[in-house]
Amino acid sequence: MLIMPNNKYLSSSNDIPKQIEISGVNIEEFNFKENLKKKSFFKKEDFYKRFLTLNGAIMISKPFGAGEVNKFYVSLYDLIKNINSEEVFGVKFSSRSSEKIVYKNSIPFDKFTIGDIIVATSQGFHVQGAIRHAAIFDSRRYHGSIDDKCLLTAEPDQGVIYETIRFYRENFSEAWGLTVPKATIEERVKAIDEVSKFVGKPYSWRADKNDDENWYCSKVPWAAYKKSSGIDIDGNGGFWVLPIDIFISKETEVFEYSNS
């Protein structure tokens, strides 16, 4: 029997070596975590009541269509015209105090595998929609520290960058881990490799989804899958793909959640 030392995820039979890695990703570890995730999926509908709504609708980008009755759709125009500018980014300053509200969560990363997506939000009214931020996880850059820069996204004034887990834990009151069950390990590796080529490209909230020169946070994971495998994780096919659009997508499942 072939014994692979120092790796709890590896197994073998018939003395035939198995392929251990694909582009730096341990296959047995990936499969082990994927099986764990399948046992811990959340119902997305259970979270809808927690999201900020406008006229009874969760704020996402696709406008109402003729005869459309889905209560989770609202136009970005309707969202913007009702904005309270003091709360656009989820932080409201009291007239009596300039102290900033601190948000935190403790989302674990023990089940995250390459290509998984983190989305996060905090209390308040956000121009980004019901969820404020999104990134895609590159396990090859994660070495066990919350300060490892392993989450690929885009930020104003910085463009496409890698961020740390610490950033997501210390700036948002809620965070979710999403996976794309249909995507193979090869497609997930390719997804990361496709969008990592755009690190350093500028940020623009106005960017078309198919514009490779300008980016925003949730466009990064969307483009990763669209370019690598054709999987469209935009839940409504609007001009923008907002973090909430990725959350409601039929192509994603929630496997992790934290609000503390």
Side-chain angles (χ1 to χ4, degrees), residues 14-200:
N14 301 323
D15 295 328
I16 301 174
K18 293 184 178 181
Q19 183 181 3
I20 299 172
E21 292 188 347
I22 293 178
S23 298
V25 179
N26 184 294
I27 299 173
E28 293 291 336
E29 180 179 358
F30 175 88
N31 290 334
F32 176 78
K33 291 184 176 182
E34 287 298 293
N35 287 330
L36 284 180
K37 284 190 289 192
K38 290 176 182 177
K39 298 175 182 178
S40 59
F41 284 169
F42 293 81
K43 291 183 178 180
K44 292 180 180 179
E45 292 80 3
D46 292 342
F47 295 107
Y48 289 165
K49 62 182 178 293
R50 303 181 67 84
F51 295 145
L52 183 64
T53 61
L54 178 65
N55 298 327
I58 292 176
M59 298 189 308
I60 53 180
S61 62
K62 188 176 181 181
F64 286 105
E68 192 171 37
V69 295
N70 191 328
K71 66 178 180 179
F72 302 123
Y73 286 54
V74 66
S75 72
L76 192 59
Y77 169 76
D78 287 336
L79 182 159
I80 291 173
K81 73 181 182 181
N82 285 275
I83 280 180
N84 177 333
S85 60
E86 289 184 334
E87 299 180 352
V88 166
F89 294 105
V91 178
K92 185 173 182 179
F93 294 94
S94 168
S95 58
R96 298 181 181 178
S97 172
S98 60
E99 183 179 354
K100 181 179 179 179
I101 299 173
V102 176
Y103 299 111
K104 288 190 177 183
N105 69 84
S106 56
I107 188 166
F109 269 70
D110 55 314
K111 288 183 284 191
F112 272 72
T113 55
I114 192 165
D116 284 339
I117 299 163
I118 183 170
V119 295
T121 199
S122 51
Q123 299 171 7
F125 196 106
H126 315 302
V127 69
Q128 301 95 332
I131 299 178
R132 290 184 60 195
H133 203 33
I136 188 166
F137 179 65
D138 187 348
S139 61
R140 297 167 298 185
R141 297 175 62 99
Y142 177 55
H143 308 292
S145 169
I146 63 172
D147 293 312
D148 292 331
K149 293 184 176 182
C150 55
L151 293 163
L152 190 56
T153 185
E155 289 277 10
D157 302 322
Q158 298 181 74
V160 180
I161 59 170
Y162 277 99
E163 289 181 320
T164 66
I165 292 171
R166 182 186 297 277
F167 176 82
Y168 287 80
R169 285 186 176 175
E170 296 186 356
N171 289 278
F172 303 96
S173 59
E174 294 182 90
W176 294 262
L178 306 179
T179 190
V180 183
K182 186 185 296 184
T184 65
I185 184 172
E186 292 87 355
E187 288 171 334
R188 296 181 193 204
V189 169
K190 187 177 179 182
I192 296 293
D193 291 344
E194 280 290 326
V195 288
S196 64
K197 296 184 297 187
F198 299 103
V199 169

Side-chain angles (χ1 to χ4, degrees), residues 239-252:
F239 179 82
W240 290 280
V241 52
L242 305 182
I244 185 64
D245 298 337
I246 294 174
F247 188 95
I248 67 164
S249 170
K250 294 179 180 179
E251 301 292 349
T252 63

